[in-house]
Amino acid sequence: MTPGKHSIDTARAANAGVWGTGPPQAARERSWSATPHSVANMPISPPGSRKQPPSVGLTVGPQVRKSISFISTVKGTQTKGYAGANQSRMAMSKTMMILPEMKIEKMNISSPKMRDTQVIDVNGVDVTPRPLYHPDPHTVTTKPNKILTSQEGSLGSEFISSYSLYQNTINPSLLGQFTRSALGSSTISKSSVSTTESIAEDLEEPSYKRERLVSYTDLRVVRTTPEKIVTKEDLEKNIEIILTETETLRFFDLPTVMVSVESEEAEKVNQRNRNYETLCKNRAGNDLYVERMMQTINGAPKTKEVQCHKIIMEDKGIMSTAWDLYDSYNAVELSSSSVKPSKIESSKANIPSKDRDQRVPGSTTEKNSEASSLMDIENVILAKIHEDEEDHSEAILKSDKFHQDLFFMERVLMENVFQSKLAAYRQLPVLKEPEPEEPEDSLQGEELEEVEEEVKKEEEEEIEIGTEQSKIPANLERLWSFSCDLTKGLNVSSLAWNKANSDLLAVGYGHFGFKEQKRGLACCWSLKNTMWPERIYQSLHGVTAVDFSTGSPNLLAVAYYNGSIAIYNVQSNSNIPVLDSSESPQKHLGPIWQLQWIEQDRGTTGDDKREILVSISADGRISKWVIRKGLDCHDLMKLRRTTTSTNKKGGEKEKKGEALISRQAPGLCFAFHPKDTNIYLAGTEEGHIHKCSCSYNEQYLDTYRGHKGPVYKIAWNPFCHDVFLSCSADWGVIIWQQDNIKPFLTFYPTTYVVYDVVWSPKSSYIFAAANETRVEIWDLHISILDPLIVNVANPGIKFTTVLFAKQTDCLLVGDSDGQVSVYELRNMPTAIDSGRGDVIYKLLGPKSNHSG
Amino acid sequence: QTEVEETLKRIQSHKGVIGTMVVNAEGIPIRTTLDNSTTVQYAGLLHQLTMKARSTVRDIDPQNDLTFLRIRSKKHEIMVAPDKEYLLIVIQNPCE
């Protein structure tokens, strides 16, 4: 027998995992007889003895070595256990682990030493098997394992070692023995094992490792049975033996090869057997079964050489970053949408490179790949598209993104320069550079420094005004000014803040006088860029009034000296007005002096507030403009010249018989009541202030007479709604109370025309007035005789407009040189909140009606 | 286009500005007010720095992207507006 021949079966057996055989093969057929032989010498250790001399198993020597003989003695087991060590190991382990049925155990206990085991068959023949394995006494076994605690060392090892020697058949045979409990003698072998198992707990035998049992390759079995001296007490001690039944483990199953004649398969089996017999008969001398040689025609080999391109290997390293992964994932999703942009870009790229030749397709595709690829552009440097780069660079300069970047850059530069000023404006703590601080007025030059010094001197003189809190008097500190080359030389005629974005300022440039007329300009300035306006709207005529809309904060209404109104949308970059009134038949014929967006309650009709544009012009009309299909206007009031005959309430008597050129009085300013938008005041060139209502367009409700010259500005007090302020060319500023047609308080600080007055949004006592030479800030709470702060202008420059900043303590002053300067009010006396509405009463008490 | 030119001119004439340059993605200057060698040097160095800065920003959050880069040194401040195709670089001495 050779392992080779058996190998097939082994494999089959292994694969089947069953210890049974395949179809019986002729060569291997054995007569299976149930022999009572027990296969091996089961080394059974007596409970008492622990030692097992290795020589025990030597009785069955030569016979043992033949595996075949074993097979014959084994009933039914033909397993060629050439299965790999695993298989046999498994078997072995199984054998070792099995605790067979109870009845077997009974016999086990009483089983004596192996030597004493005698197997006698029915005929009384001693068929005691002889041990297969004769272990080397000098081999040392390894440390035992608890798995087989009961296993007697030497016995087990012998058993195992016998297995290991014969690596195969023994296991199945033994196993066969185990499963066939019919074998009486075999039970002993079984029982020996089971004994060991069953009395596992009691015997404190060192057990051999399971691996021990299954390591067939290792012929050296080490036995280290510890010595334990058995005392008399031990022997007499009651040993408790607990017998338990295990489950039935099936580890060998050999299907029977005999079939009953009466079964259903009998016919088939018979047929098969007959076929087989015929086959065997035919086999002898049959051509089919003869070994023959054949010669195949071998083709003549031929060597052929092939050369391939050199395989270029390149090492590429890339750092896999989180964004790279993100881009790659998104690239898959956006691959469809990126086709479109790449197409667009290819068309763009094609246009500049139209005149190029063959390189165009290649290069544009390169550009496409550049544009739509998500890889680093650094890797796509190609010299051949250098020519196209020139066009590409032009495209860069024209691109929107570049434009935007330039925009931001400019603002950043501004911020660098003006950071401290802007911080002061926004009332943030001013950060100081560690280097020497830049001088404040470095922008404009020395002349303004002189102004500053002058102001300071004046402030020192004015200390006697006495601010209650701080020792440093209130002053105006100049932060910066909005000016650029375009605006140089123009007169600032109006200022207006944007209602939505408080950083945006609209400035109108235009001269007041008829002879001084030049071109006009309306600019939108942003705080973030003080050197260049965001929007520039040029026109032929001077701009006399500007205002931002409240309802749509992007609309800017500009009024011109020629009486027309234009509405611009500041969101777009275009210079063309959205609406223009030049074609309207009812447009004003004289310069429009004031323009304002008013939100009017519809009142009775129940509509929500609608915004209208109201203008007053020198042709004596106050018009309301409505935006429908174009600018359409509707007269609110026609200002008529008032003569003494119409006004009987008193006042000065005018000369009779004065020839009136026109019955219309030019209107210069108006102011709607902050609460009741039906009522408004209008100032005329005559010096009269008329209180009118939108409901009546013929009659005035009241006339306030006090000024002797044209009234340039009227302003309602934002907190106390009864009080309003007016300034005129007669050098005076008058405070009126609504119910009283006589002036309440008058101020004649200088002998110059007062162009503009405005109340402070923070306190009801403070207002600012701009006359030709200086800007004054009055605080009625402190003094009604002198202004709190006076800021003198440069010689030659007139201050024409003032405006308070909304959130911060800053004042904007426009002058006749095209500059809008921003001043910060410093050290102002803190406003007393309670005084908001009480200005009249407070002033009324100690000072009665001051006749102006 | 002229607006672009005007803006560039304004930026260049701004207070404290030492130089302005626009370079394309390969480091070739498109517009510059400094000499060529300085421009090329700035372009190369800042390009790498911008890449690194962008990589950093996007590593933290891939949906974010770099819009502006400012480097303030003892002597002056370098401001870079990066883009896929170009770099806008302005060098300013903020305190004169």
Side-chain angles (χ1 to χ4, degrees), chain A residues 504-507 522-526 533-537 548 556 570:
Chain A
L504 217 52
L505 176 71
V507 181
C523 291
C524 285
W525 291 86
S526 163
E534 305 292 317
R535 301 276 184 269
I536 303 170
Y537 303 115
F548 269 110
L556 174 68
V570 297

Side-chain angles (χ1 to χ4, degrees), chain A residues 728-733 747-754:
Chain A
S728 98
D730 67 355
W731 316 332
V733 175
F747 308 94
Y748 287 101
T750 57
T751 56
Y752 291 107
V753 174
V754 183

